[in-house]
Amino acid sequence: MRVLTWLLLRAGSAAFMLLLGSLVVFLLMHAVPGDAALAALGDQASPDAIADFRRLHHLDDPLAMQFLAWLRGALRGDLGTSISLAGGFSTASLIAGSLPNTLFIGAYALLLALAISITAGSIAASRHGRVEDVLATSGAIVTISMPDFWLGYVLVLLFSLELGWFPAYGFTRPGESFLGALHSGFLPALAIAVPMAGIFSRMLRATLLETFRRAYVTSARVMGFGRAFVFWHYVFRNALIPYVTAIGLQARYLLGGVVVVERVFGVPGIGSVMVDGAFARDISVVQGCAVVFLLIVILVNLLVDLLCGLLDPRTAA
Amino acid sequence: MQRGNRIECGISKLQRSARASFNNGKILSLPDPERLPMTLSRRTLLGGATLLTAEAGGLRPFAAMAQPGAAPLRAAMTGFTTINTLDPGKAAINPEFYIIWGVFNTLVKFDAKMNVVGDLAESWTNPDATTWEFKLRQGVHFHDGSELTAEDVVFTFQRIADEKFGSPVRRKMAPLVSVEAVDAHTVRMKTDKPFAPLLTYLTNTRTSTQIVCKKAVLAMGDEQYGRTPVGSGPWKLTEWRPNEKLSFAAHTEYFERGLPKAPALEVMLIRDDSSAINALAAGGLHFVNAVPYGDTERVKRMASVAFSSMPGLNARFAQFNIQRPPFDDVHFRRAVSMSINRQAFVQAVVFGQAVPSQGYIPQAISWAYDREPRPYAQYNPQAAKAELAKSRYGADVEVVVYGMPDAWWKRMSEVFVDMVNRTLGTKFRVEFMDSRTHFQRWMANDGQCWPNGWIALCDPDEYLFDCFHSTGWRNFSKYSNPQVDSLLEQARQELDREAKGGPLYMQAERLIAEDCPSVFLMNTYSNSAVLKRVTGFDHTPFDGFGAQLAPMTVG
């Protein structure tokens, strides 16, 4: 019963968040100067052409009516049709064509960042104060300070133009060829992963070092367990909790924060659709993307809450 | 380069196997064009070889295809990703037309020197000053196989004129009062008054007068036609991935024999122009339609790339709000105009890749381009200060210039303001806003000064009548000079354009230059880059894009 109430509450607040979020986005899009007619007509936007465009696309209807029309459609699963970004294409099709790419590159980058940071963080912590540690920590500082688009260009220069290992531009969708996606997605994923790995490995190193100093680690060493055994069984597992939290926080950035990298490598992602949609003042596209972002964030939060509840013995009961 | 060798290996290998299978009397089945790989890397090269047979819409024995260089062409459109429609009657922005030029044909077109020559029309005559008769070419087929006749032409123009359809060029084409089919291959047009720019508005540029297929439009409806256009041009659309790329197959029944040369075409929509240059350098692209001014030196140094540059069809200027202080004073406007060292300006803003200008009409429209120096559009610090002294306003007047923050546009506003301040000791400053907001404010005449530009206008009438006639729709600041108005009206009615129309436009522009409603700054270059192993590229001042790609072959 308590679980049911909790679920209903969560669902209710999620629905409220979605409604509020889409309303805010709708009003913001109307508050910025410039409108879809100007975007679609460009410098051919004569007053007559603008008037025709606005009439054909119901842009002169009262705001409340426009929002209600959108809401009515959204409730039936129809997110509307683009008018000034990709005229005539449904918002749903634009999202369906781009969201999987973003999720793929995000997951790819996250895996690379995990692999790099676990290796670098562990080495740095276990070789505390030695050359390896200095190299890893200064490497992390450098990677954190690098802007990701700049890193993207450097990777293109090195791995595409000099070595010819990866394509300089363009992305093969995972649905067409998974290997092709792994290959063409490697550089963009790496460009996103490297600064993230810097953050993760610093985090991991710090928590590992802190755990090393714990009394139970010392007593384990005193009891005669080997260095490696103590590291894996006593230190590493305990240090993972803050590390995982940090990953959760970064995961949200992967949704929309990587537009610049998507641009450099030509990955057709949802972030680019939303940004281009905003520039084109295509309200239904921006609204649709915003709803998808909101849904994902709500789901991720729910997942994190559930996981925390399960992991923490104090709340598990 | 190694990459190139690999491609050739792949091709000849495929050709051998293809010939072998043809010799066995087999007809190769055709790959789905939707599966064309997007990137050209070592891995996809092997797959890319199958593209040789990409020929959507029908089977064809390989022998016809197995000619050297029968590889798909991959081009990039940079700076834009937005395409809202491929229906010529509805299209407005450049990227839409870049594609439309390759999918459709018009009655007439420009040659490389911007002379009007026939396209769908074999010849045309003026029985009188308001009547135009076009003789259509026979045997022109649309992508659906149907034949193009005078009925399609009539339908095209009726559609544009229909208010319910809402074409952006409805008003521009309003002088055209009737279009009728005399017979299946003759079209007669009538204008209300003699209307000289008509021919320009029938060329394959940003005109919306590309001939649509009546049968297809009626069958699928306007909305759908914009997404799955049926034209008569060299390229037949096979797939459109919004915001990403468009794929085309060659139109095998195209009326110009031997065109298009490549069996298939992919156009990538690339927002970030430097990324397009990288892809070109890596061999993943064959053609990039615009090279950013900051990248030209790098592109010129690339061994595998041919760079091409020429003054384009555009005008770059700083427009004044002549209704508000201080630019309501002609002396103040002249002072500003004469304080700009245009040669240095061009160096600083686009690294020398522009012609300093003293008018709107670009030199590519040679018959209306005036070479005579215009004093108020020349750098002259002494005279500038003298004009300032004559003005009602002093150097301390407050002026905010509205600039656009993108790429070289940002430098354009900054250098402009800096040059004026240095020469006149004024306190101009720039405020940046995104280009749409900028354009909206300019249209509403909300502000004092807007460095901006017009691109892809092809007729002097668009540069002068639209921008400076008191009724011109691009005349946002309500400039009005009865003498200019009357000259422009005369020029519009003068059908002998080169001999008589040209001097009228020059005379009008000279008067405008004296009034300085706008500071004429420069006419920027159009830059293209193409791989050296690609042949058949012909650079024109008007960007032909889709049409330009038809004679290109990947070697």
Side-chain angles (χ1 to χ4, degrees):
Chain A
M1 196 58 214
R2 254 174 63 200
V3 176
L4 193 69
T5 331
W6 181 79
L7 269 178
L8 278 175
L9 264 175
R10 286 301 287 238
S13 71
F16 179 72
M17 286 290 291
L18 279 175
L19 184 70
L20 191 72
S22 52
L23 183 65
V24 168
V25 171
F26 179 82
L27 292 176
L28 271 178
M29 286 300 292
H30 277 282
V32 289
D35 73 353
L38 276 181
L41 296 168
D43 66 346
Q44 302 260 66
S46 65
D48 288 354
I50 291 178
D52 281 346
F53 187 94
R54 296 186 64 91
R55 178 170 50 79
L56 287 172
H57 294 100
H58 307 287
L59 296 179
D60 291 323
D61 294 354
L63 283 193
M65 260 175 74
Q66 289 188 44
F67 184 72
L68 284 177
W70 177 84
L71 193 64
R72 222 175 294 135
L75 288 176
R76 279 175 302 163
D78 173 11
L79 288 175
T81 305
S82 163
I83 56 170
S84 52
L85 175 70
F89 284 88
S90 73
T91 300
S93 74
L94 293 177
I95 293 171
S98 56
L99 184 62
N101 302 330
T102 298
L103 294 180
F104 178 86
I105 293 289
Y108 199 172
L110 202 56
L111 282 176
L112 287 176
L114 288 181
I116 300 170
S117 62
I118 290 178
T119 315
S122 310
I123 291 177
S126 50
R127 312 283 296 169
H128 182 46
R130 312 218 187 138
V131 183
E132 295 92 327
D133 184 24
V134 173
L135 278 180
T137 42
S138 39
I141 296 276
V142 171
T143 57
I144 292 169
S145 327
M146 278 191 293
D148 46 10
F149 67 90
W150 179 84
L151 179 63
Y153 281 125
V154 171
L155 291 175
V156 167
L157 269 180
L158 189 64
F159 292 106
S160 299
L161 301 186
E162 282 300 317
L163 298 169
W165 292 351
F166 297 96
Y169 189 88
F171 175 66
T172 310
R173 286 161 194 249
E176 290 170 344
S177 152
F178 192 74
L179 280 178
L182 283 180
H183 180 238
S184 62
F186 182 75
L187 291 186
L190 192 64
I192 299 165
V194 164
M196 242 173 18
I199 300 174
F200 291 173
S201 59
R202 271 164 60 93
M203 184 100 196
L204 186 62
R205 175 181 171 276
T207 47
L208 282 174
L209 285 179
E210 202 189 305
T211 323
F212 268 131
R213 283 189 222 104
R214 291 289 171 88
Y216 62 81
V217 176
T218 316
S219 34
R221 288 289 288 148
V222 167
M223 278 192 263
F225 290 128
R227 190 179 277 274
F229 184 87
V230 171
F231 179 77
W232 290 113
H233 288 81
Y234 287 78
V235 180
F236 191 70
R237 271 181 75 167
N238 284 309
L240 270 185
I241 297 157
Y243 177 68
V244 170
T245 317
I247 293 169
L249 284 173
Q250 285 288 316
R252 276 171 225 167
Y253 154 84
L254 288 175
L255 265 184
V258 295
V259 179
V260 184
V261 175
E262 289 181 351
R263 286 272 158 78
V264 169
F265 291 98
V267 179
I270 189 169
S272 307
V273 170
M274 190 169 180
V275 170
D276 289 346
F279 274 116
R281 309 288 190 263
D282 200 329
I283 294 177
S284 94
V285 172
V286 177
Q287 290 261 83
C289 293
V291 166
V292 170
F293 280 142
L294 271 171
L295 261 178
I296 291 177
V297 170
I298 288 171
L299 283 178
V300 167
N301 282 347
L302 188 69
L303 202 71
V304 167
D305 284 1
L306 286 175
L307 273 178
C308 282
L310 285 177
L311 285 175
D312 194 333
R314 283 164 300 185
T315 54
Chain B
M1 282 177 61
Q2 272 203 320
R3 197 155 275 275
N5 292 337
R6 280 193 210 124
I7 294 169
E8 275 147 31
C9 291
I11 288 169
S12 56
K13 203 168 164 186
L14 185 92
Q15 283 173 347
R16 276 200 299 279
S17 67
R19 277 195 205 99
S21 58
F22 182 67
N23 290 341
N24 294 338
K26 276 186 208 155
I27 289 172
L28 291 188
S29 66
L30 302 165
D32 181 356
E34 292 194 5
R35 303 185 68 98
L36 303 188
M38 293 170 59
T39 54
L40 200 67
S41 60
R42 186 161 68 174
R43 184 188 47 75
T44 48
L45 270 176
L46 297 170
T50 58
L51 294 176
L52 284 171
T53 57
E55 177 68 34
L59 294 171
R60 208 179 181 204
F62 194 80
M65 306 286 304
Q67 47 194 301
L73 193 61
R74 204 170 279 114
M77 192 189 286
T78 63
F80 320 94
T81 56
T82 295
I83 293 179
N84 288 307
T85 179
L86 294 177
D87 181 340
K90 269 289 169 71
I93 50 181
N94 281 329
E96 294 165 355
F97 280 107
Y98 282 162
I99 301 297
I100 285 169
W101 296 332
V103 176
F104 290 89
N105 290 99
T106 33
L107 291 177
V108 295
K109 64 180 181 184
F110 285 124
D111 67 8
K113 293 213 160 71
M114 290 203 69
N115 299 309
V116 176
V117 295
D119 192 15
L120 291 172
E122 275 177 334
S123 62
W124 58 94
T125 52
N126 285 113
D128 59 64
T130 57
T131 309
W132 300 73
E133 231 173 69
F134 295 88
K135 211 85 210 121
L136 299 186
R137 194 187 281 268
Q138 309 226 353
V140 174
H141 292 275
F142 284 114
H143 298 155
D144 65 356
S146 64
E147 199 185 337
L148 187 149
T149 66
E151 215 183 312
D152 297 295
V153 178
V154 172
F155 178 74
T156 299
F157 288 94
Q158 280 173 347
R159 210 164 158 249
I160 291 173
D162 182 4
E163 194 180 338
K164 281 205 291 291
F165 178 64
S167 171
V169 296
R170 183 164 59 89
R171 179 165 132 155
K172 190 169 160 186
M173 296 308 288
L176 199 59
V177 288
S178 82
V179 180
E180 53 182 303
V182 178
D183 59 48
H185 293 98
T186 313
V187 176
R188 187 183 294 141
M189 296 187 178
K190 279 193 174 293
T191 53
D192 52 355
K193 278 184 271 186
F195 188 60
L198 183 68
L199 269 193
T200 301
Y201 296 166
L202 301 178
T203 59
N204 201 14
T205 53
R206 214 166 54 154
T207 51
S208 288
T209 53
Q210 285 76 7
I211 306 304
V212 298
C213 177
K214 180 179 179 183
K215 198 180 94 189
V217 173
L218 293 180
M220 57 176 96
D222 291 330
E223 185 73 26
Q224 181 63 31
Y225 191 73
R227 264 170 289 161
T228 52
V230 175
S232 58
W235 303 111
K236 192 152 95 175
L237 182 72
T238 52
E239 198 201 3
W240 174 0
R241 289 188 181 175
N243 231 23
E244 185 186 342
K245 66 165 179 171
L246 297 97
S247 309
F248 305 84
H251 176 30
T252 45
E253 286 181 282
Y254 187 54
F255 67 81
E256 277 192 72
R257 287 289 143 232
L259 293 184
K261 290 263 173 64
L265 165 70
E266 248 179 52
V267 176
M268 315 280 294
L269 309 174
I270 303 183
R271 169 75 76 169
D272 180 87
D273 9 32
S274 295
S275 295
I277 302 301
N278 286 339
L280 188 76
L285 276 176
H286 299 130
F287 174 70
V288 173
N289 74 313
V291 178
Y293 298 117
D295 278 327
T296 48
E297 286 310 312
R298 177 163 82 102
V299 172
K300 282 182 194 165
R301 281 197 304 270
M302 290 177 182
S304 59
V305 175
F307 174 78
S308 173
S309 181
M310 64 165 68
L313 274 185
N314 57 64
R316 318 293 189 183
F317 47 80
Q319 169 90 51
F320 296 127
N321 181 349
I322 60 168
Q323 310 296 336
R324 260 170 58 179
F327 299 115
D328 54 349
D329 182 343
V330 68
H331 298 293
F332 198 87
R333 298 200 297 266
R334 286 174 181 168
V336 170
S337 177
M338 287 190 288
S339 65
I340 305 293
N341 180 345
R342 287 165 179 75
Q343 208 72 49
F345 180 85
V346 162
Q347 274 307 329
V349 177
V350 292
F351 316 116
Q353 298 165 77
V355 186
S357 61
Q358 45 170 0
Y360 271 22
I361 298 175
Q363 67 178 38
I365 306 176
S366 53
W367 57 272
Y369 181 71
D370 186 16
R371 289 177 189 279
E372 211 170 289
R374 295 172 181 165
Y376 295 121
Q378 306 281 332
Y379 178 52
N380 188 340
Q382 295 310 319
K385 281 176 201 140
E387 285 291 331
L388 182 65
K390 273 194 261 175
S391 152
R392 295 199 296 277
Y393 307 98
D396 55 343
V397 64
E398 201 192 328
V399 173
V400 179
V401 171
Y402 285 168
M404 291 187 283
D406 329 82
W408 59 271
W409 288 104
K410 184 163 189 279
R411 285 196 300 277
M412 177 163 151
S413 302
E414 286 167 344
V415 174
F416 169 71
V417 162
D418 184 60
M419 283 186 166
V420 175
N421 288 345
R422 271 166 202 265
T423 313
L424 300 177
T426 44
K427 303 263 179 309
F428 285 23
R429 59 186 177 85
V430 200
E431 205 172 281
F432 290 104
M433 55 195 67
D434 82 278
S435 54
R436 286 203 216 303
T437 310
H438 186 271
F439 189 61
Q440 198 178 27
R441 290 225 171 151
W442 179 26
M443 281 179 88
N445 212 20
D446 165 15
Q448 291 176 296
C449 178
W450 305 267
N452 209 310
W454 294 118
I455 50 163
L457 305 183
C458 295
D459 199 274
D461 193 77
E462 293 173 287
Y463 285 101
L464 297 192
F465 198 104
D466 284 2
C467 303
F468 297 110
H469 188 277
S470 51
T471 64
W473 81 262
R474 294 175 204 264
N475 182 2
F476 305 136
S477 184
K478 311 269 185 294
Y479 168 74
S480 170
N481 179 336
Q483 239 182 316
V484 169
D485 280 4
S486 119
L487 282 167
L488 292 177
E489 282 155 26
Q490 279 176 57
R492 197 173 246 202
Q493 300 195 20
E494 183 49 70
L495 295 191
D496 183 2
R497 303 199 87 186
E498 302 213 359
K500 295 182 188 152
L504 290 172
Y505 284 119
M506 293 183 203
Q507 213 183 324
E509 206 180 36
R510 261 173 240 152
L511 291 175
I512 297 166
E514 280 173 30
D515 289 339
C516 282
S518 175
V519 183
F520 312 130
L521 293 170
M522 58 182 173
N523 168 206
T524 50
Y525 287 0
S526 140
N527 290 340
S528 293
V530 60
L531 286 191
K532 279 185 180 151
R533 60 192 175 84
V534 174
T535 49
F537 171 63
D538 196 5
H539 199 167
T540 58
F542 57 95
D543 285 315
F545 205 79
Q548 262 175 326
L549 299 171
M552 284 163 67
T553 318
V554 183

